[in-house]
Amino acid sequence: MMKVYECCGIESVTKKVYCSSCGKEITNEIDVPEEGTVYSYTVIQVPPAQFAHLAPYTVALIQLKNSKAKVTARILESVAIGDQVKLDSIVDGAYVFKKVGSSKVLHNS
């Protein structure tokens, strides 16, 4: 399960001590499934130097299931808006998702 942090109706996957809206301490932690829907995406052709070995790769904005929160993640395959995806791993602090029910993974060399 992923954690979402909520205050004032705003949900985020980034843990913050204080709410940026009201200034109160954020104490609401919600467990949400590690699944979601592709809300938007782009294919990175010319990445920063530290990610050159991954190019081309897809980055998507994922609407998390049972939550208002969205998370930016690298996607292991080609996707379309509306595709169902699931968390595959967390690499160097970055979320990596894959399509639900997909067994084919594209590897960049």
Side-chain angles (χ1 to χ4, degrees):
M1 295 292 263
M2 292 181 71
K3 295 258 187 228
V4 170
Y5 306 92
E6 185 274 334
C7 188
C8 299
I10 300 168
E11 295 179 358
S12 172
V13 295
T14 305
K15 186 171 185 172
K16 300 174 187 171
V17 175
Y18 298 102
C19 176
S20 58
S21 179
C22 71
K24 293 181 183 176
E25 185 175 355
I26 298 174
T27 57
N28 295 337
E29 288 185 7
I30 305 163
D31 287 326
V32 296
E34 296 176 339
E35 299 176 348
T37 305
V38 175
Y39 183 84
S40 180
Y41 72 94
T42 189
V43 177
I44 307 297
Q45 300 289 339
V46 182
Q50 67 266 36
F51 302 113
H53 65 286
L54 299 173
Y57 60 93
T58 302
V59 174
L61 187 59
I62 309 299
Q63 173 70 58
L64 294 174
K65 189 174 185 177
N66 302 334
S67 173
K68 296 177 194 171
K70 294 179 181 75
V71 63
T72 302
R74 188 164 55 92
I75 303 290
L76 295 175
E77 346 159 73
S78 297
V79 292
I81 293 172
D83 281 351
Q84 299 300 302
V85 293
K86 182 174 182 163
L87 182 65
D88 182 66
S89 60
I90 299 174
V91 179
D92 296 327
Y95 295 105
V96 180
F97 278 70
K98 65 179 178 179
K99 287 201 291 191
V100 172
S102 176
S103 60
K104 182 179 181 186
V105 176
L106 298 178
H107 293 282
N108 296 318
S109 300

